[in-house]
Amino acid sequence: MPGHGAAVSLYPRLAWYGFRRHATYWAAALAGAFTNTVFGVLRAYVLIALWQARPGLGGYDVAGAITFTFLTQAFIGPMQLFGGGLDLPQRIRTGDVALDLVRPASLQMWCLSEDLGRAAYLFVVRGGPPALVGALLFGIVAPHAPAAFLVSVALGVVVSFGWRYIVALATCWVMDDRGLGVLSMVLTTFFSGLMLPLAIFPGWLGVLSRALPWSAMAQVPADVYLGTADPAPALGFQALWAAVLLALGALMTGAARRKVVIQGG
């Protein structure tokens, strides 16, 4: 393993590499921003009608519901709410992961560093336009605690990475990762708060959905922005799930190092 000083310099460089790598696909990022913006407008009109019929639903007013809509649309790219964003499944299928696993650096931290750079780029380029259009067309509220919101977004990205890394690394033990990818996408889009605020889910479903890790990816950062969640416990919740998922990913990495399944090549 590299020394502490080497790791300190390596991982920031990997994050910068992840940022620059995705910056080369600026046209795709802008196309994604346009799509997210269009669907944000459509979602906003749906939620406006819902909140006008049910004022105060879930603890939000109409302005809060609109803001929630465009925030979660802005999170799609940085949080990879539809899954993917990692090259691991392809590298496992080709057998290239065998080289990754013998590098003198943590595979998990290597991937995380690159993913943080990717998320930083998409947060600005793909997340900014939906928020800007939402502000211009409907008006969105200002952040309740800007610093806490940025920390919450960063933790949400780490939670998202932790989950996606586990799903990607599971390709070592399954012959086809597409089913896992679809299942991951369904769970994430439903339980993250992307479709509807989790606060409006009734009874046990609402309690369960807010306790699962996916809520840390969109619902919690949006609530920190809106001030409907106390920042300290909200950030603690995200940090806990980030630690749990990263720890599980580290255990799976160790298991993968002992049993690398090369599918093809």
Side-chain angles (χ1 to χ4, degrees):
M1 296 296 290
H4 176 72
V8 168
S9 61
L10 171 64
Y11 297 128
R13 289 202 302 269
L14 288 172
W16 176 238
Y17 166 76
F19 185 96
R20 291 197 308 164
R21 175 187 175 191
H22 284 82
T24 61
Y25 304 111
W26 59 269
L30 291 178
F34 175 77
T35 302
N36 292 346
T37 302
V38 170
F39 278 96
V41 172
L42 296 176
R43 286 183 61 206
Y45 280 117
V46 171
L47 293 190
I48 287 172
L50 177 60
W51 258 262
Q52 286 178 342
R54 298 280 303 277
L57 180 63
Y60 304 109
D61 56 15
V62 173
I66 293 172
T67 302
F68 184 95
T69 296
F70 285 100
L71 283 175
T72 51
Q73 288 295 123
F75 293 155
I76 290 175
M79 307 291 183
Q80 286 291 144
L81 296 181
F82 294 147
L86 299 175
D87 297 332
L88 267 180
Q90 176 64 23
R91 295 186 67 80
I92 291 170
R93 286 192 293 269
T94 61
D96 291 339
V97 72
L99 299 176
D100 300 332
L101 289 169
V102 298
R103 282 182 185 143
S106 164
L107 172 63
Q108 186 182 41
M109 290 303 298
W110 187 292
C111 293
L112 174 58
S113 299
E114 289 190 356
D115 199 60
L116 289 174
R118 173 205 60 79
Y121 176 75
L122 292 182
F123 180 72
V124 177
V125 177
R126 189 167 170 178
L132 179 61
V133 170
L136 293 175
L137 293 182
F138 301 95
I140 61 177
V141 302
H144 181 76
F149 168 66
L150 292 177
V151 173
S152 183
V153 169
L155 286 172
V157 171
V158 176
V159 173
S160 169
F161 165 81
W163 170 251
R164 288 181 289 113
Y165 181 83
I166 289 170
V167 173
L169 200 59
T171 308
C172 286
W173 290 273
V174 299
M175 295 303 295
D176 191 340
D177 63 298
R178 287 175 295 183
L180 287 176
V182 171
L183 177 62
S184 173
M185 183 181 68
V186 171
L187 290 172
T188 304
T189 54
F190 185 79
F191 288 113
S192 67
L194 176 61
M195 296 178 63
L196 287 170
L198 302 181
I200 71 173
F201 287 8
W204 65 267
L205 180 59
V207 174
L208 175 64
S209 62
R210 290 192 293 272
L212 294 173
W214 299 286
S215 68
M217 302 177 194
Q219 179 72 48
V220 174
D223 281 341
V224 170
Y225 181 101
L226 291 167
T228 54
D230 186 353
L235 298 180
F237 171 79
Q238 290 180 290
L240 175 62
W241 270 117
V244 169
L245 293 176
L246 290 177
L248 181 56
L251 290 174
M252 290 181 63
T253 304
R257 187 172 284 109
R258 293 187 295 270
K259 178 186 179 183
V260 176
V261 179
I262 301 178
Q263 299 175 8

